[in-house]
């Protein structure tokens, strides 16, 4: 499982973001740890991954599946119909906007990773042999951080995020 960075919250979670802003003394002008305002961070343009996927296909990367990490957060990794376990061993450091929103909302990691991209906007399932090439293309062509985050294993349909001690069972993804 190869993850490509997000640019921030993308288009998901704006209701929570507005609720948080309404409770802040400086609203959207509140400064985050990276020096950006909360409002600027929420308005960061969403990365569009179509060019990257085209470049990966043209480079011969053996793509098995792709999915945006949005709307149902990291649970989206198990959107394919097959019965597999999606085991994540490496998670990116989320942008400061996520840390801020989690702190202000009091949401747990289970809630945050289950609904937000938490710094990983797109997942591409590929063989290990293609990861270095895919990472080079993402960095050289788009300036995006990326890398191997985990693997698909035989087992029940679930997402396991080991560094966060999180498990999302099949029934938690009510999307089709």
């Amino acid at each position: 499982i190869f993850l490509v960075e997000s640019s921030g919250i993308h288009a998901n979670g704006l209701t929570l973001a507005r609720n948080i802003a309404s409770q802040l003394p400086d609203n959207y002008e509140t400064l985050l740890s990276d020096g950006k305002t909360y409002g600027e961070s929420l308005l960061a343009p969403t990365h569009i991954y179509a060019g990257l996927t085209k470049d990966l296909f043209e480079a011969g990367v053996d793509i098995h599946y792709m999915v945006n990490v949005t709307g149902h957060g990291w649970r989206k990794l198990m959107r394919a119909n097959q019965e597999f376990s999606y085991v994540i061993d490496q998670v990116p450091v989320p942008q400061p906007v996520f840390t801020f929103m989690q702190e202000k909302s009091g949401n747990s990691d289970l809630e945050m990773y289950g609904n937000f991209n938490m710094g990983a906007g797109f997942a591409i399932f590929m063989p290990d042999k293609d990861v270095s090439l895919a990472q080079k293309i993402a960095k050289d062509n788009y300036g995006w951080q990326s890398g191997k985050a985990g693997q698909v294993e035989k087992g029940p349909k679930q997402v396991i995020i080991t560094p966060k001690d999180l498990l999302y069972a099949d029934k938690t993804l009510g999307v089709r």
Side-chain angles (χ1 to χ4, degrees), residues 17-19 21-22 24 26-30 37-40 42:
R18 283 191 301 272
N19 288 340
S22 72
L24 299 170
D26 293 327
N27 299 65
Y28 294 105
E29 293 297 318
T30 302
T37 68
Y38 184 50
E40 286 174 309
L42 295 174

Side-chain angles (χ1 to χ4, degrees), residues 27-126:
N27 299 65
Y28 294 105
E29 293 297 318
T30 302
L31 286 178
L32 301 183
S33 63
D34 61 358
K36 295 179 185 172
T37 68
Y38 184 50
E40 286 174 309
S41 294
L42 295 174
L43 293 174
T46 299
H47 287 331
I48 304 300
Y49 302 100
L52 174 61
T53 59
K54 179 181 179 282
D55 293 349
L56 294 177
F57 276 120
E58 288 176 353
V61 172
D62 184 14
I63 296 173
H64 294 201
Y65 189 73
M66 298 178 287
V67 66
N68 285 300
V69 183
T70 189
H72 292 71
W74 290 48
R75 295 177 292 166
K76 279 275 186 77
L77 295 176
M78 65 176 156
R79 189 161 187 197
N81 289 325
Q82 294 85 356
E83 291 288 322
F84 290 117
S85 293
Y86 303 88
V87 181
I88 302 299
D89 301 313
Q90 300 287 322
V91 295
V93 175
Q95 290 93 345
V97 70
F98 291 113
T99 306
F100 181 81
M101 290 176 67
Q102 184 171 12
E103 176 187 302
K104 296 299 179 186
S105 68
N107 285 343
S108 67
D109 280 346
L110 186 70
E111 183 74 16
M112 294 299 289
Y113 281 83
N115 293 297
F116 292 93
N117 69 57
M118 298 301 285
F122 198 63
I124 306 169
F125 299 5
M126 65 181 67

